[in-house]
Amino acid sequence: MNETGEWPQIAVVGAGAVGGYFGGMFARAGAPTIFIGRKHFADAVTSKGLVLDKLQGQERISANATVEMSAIRDCPLILFCVKANDTSATAKEMAPFVRRDATVVCLQNGVDNADQVRAAANVFAVPAAVYVAVSVPEPGRVKHLARGDLTIGPPSEQTTHLAELFVRAGIPCRMSDNIEGELWLKLLRNCALNAISALGHVRYGQIAQNDDARKLMEHVVDEVLAVAHATRVVLPGVDDRESGMAAAMELATQMAGAFSSTAQDLNRGRSTEIDALNGYVSRRGAELGIPAPVNHALFTLVKLAEQTRAL
């Protein structure tokens, strides 16, 4: 990537809520940005521009969008924002077009997306723990509700320059020498909140205020930490139920008015990322001999709800 004050060409692969927001912030800052997404999103952005609907007001941004993966060919920076379930397949689709010197930033839920991208596309992939509450109420319009920051790592010359680019675009970006722990910390928060939000049809704030929901969260947190410890992952600032609950409740408070991404997907009849959240904890626990029955139950119920909505 160019280390001068000029912007690199940026591609957003999987332009939806998260990709639309972060790509929109780069486009808003003047970076040449191409959005690659579904046809209805691409058509809307091409014809009317991308609308960033923030608390401070709406802003329409001129941007280019397409459904063609070949559009990434000249882009040294790729924001990879597809659903976690689609990571490997999309990375394989991207592989013939991606520059060998490109940097791919995985702005996704889950803990192993960067590994999957590296394996499928043989490219430099950077994991990111992303915290943002966004939705797409209509094609080409991204509604921002809360936060919008990320943590990347491990520290290197490349990741330091990358963090500087995000900050220049108005996106708070922190560096961590324990990025695996950061990803697991986000996984803990997602596992504690997302499925409950989806199955209960409630916002984060409603979960935080409900005694029974908090008791359910405690069991989820216990299981996630047990699996993490068996995997020898250290979650920053979290080593027991109390600190794990505090981390989950902090997020629930910060994003009190938001539905989880899992809830949004269910409401729209789309596949969720539950396989990479509670489902991942259940599977990894089984591999390690660590029981995770509550995570498995939440995973199973969300999968059943997916099937029901698809009928």
Side-chain angles (χ1 to χ4, degrees), residues 10-33:
I10 298 170
V12 180
V13 174
V18 172
Y21 176 75
F22 287 107
M25 290 294 288
F26 272 105
R28 179 176 178 267
T33 306

Side-chain angles (χ1 to χ4, degrees), residues 196 207 210-222 241 245 294:
I196 298 174
I207 299 172
N210 185 280
D211 289 342
D212 290 320
R214 290 198 302 272
K215 289 177 183 175
L216 179 56
M217 287 172 62
E218 288 178 352
H219 291 293
V220 174
V221 167
D222 287 344
R241 173 188 284 187
M245 280 296 294
V294 179

Side-chain angles (χ1 to χ4, degrees), residues 124 126-127 151-161 163 174-180:
F124 181 64
V126 178
T151 302
I152 63 172
S156 68
E157 184 177 347
Q158 285 173 294
T159 54
T160 297
H161 177 58
R174 186 172 65 86
M175 191 80 69
S176 173
D177 58 5
N178 179 20
I179 189 60
E180 186 178 23

Side-chain angles (χ1 to χ4, degrees), residues 181 184-189 191-192 217-248 281 285 288 290-292 295:
W184 271 82
L185 175 58
K186 186 187 177 187
L187 177 67
L188 179 146
R189 287 164 159 160
C191 287
M217 287 172 62
E218 288 178 352
H219 291 293
V220 174
V221 167
D222 287 344
E223 293 177 4
V224 173
L225 289 178
V227 175
H229 291 160
T231 314
R232 297 186 178 178
V233 175
V234 177
L235 281 67
V238 172
D239 56 9
D240 57 15
R241 173 188 284 187
E242 183 179 359
S243 53
M245 280 296 294
V281 173
L288 297 166
I290 305 295
N295 277 276

Side-chain angles (χ1 to χ4, degrees), residues 25-42:
M25 290 294 288
F26 272 105
R28 179 176 178 267
T33 306
I34 178 76
F35 294 86
I36 301 163
R38 291 188 176 95
K39 187 176 187 301
H40 57 272
F41 185 95

Side-chain angles (χ1 to χ4, degrees), residues 234-300:
V234 177
L235 281 67
V238 172
D239 56 9
D240 57 15
R241 173 188 284 187
E242 183 179 359
S243 53
M245 280 296 294
M249 292 295 289
E250 178 186 37
L251 183 65
T253 302
Q254 291 171 341
M255 299 187 178
F259 287 96
S260 71
S261 58
T262 307
Q264 293 181 47
D265 287 335
L266 268 190
N267 288 338
R268 294 184 178 185
R270 295 178 179 171
S271 296
T272 74
E273 294 180 297
I274 201 68
D275 296 82
L277 303 177
N278 304 85
Y280 178 84
V281 173
S282 175
R283 291 192 308 276
R284 193 76 180 100
E287 292 170 1
L288 297 166
I290 305 295
V294 179
N295 277 276
H296 184 71
L298 290 172
F299 160 73
T300 302

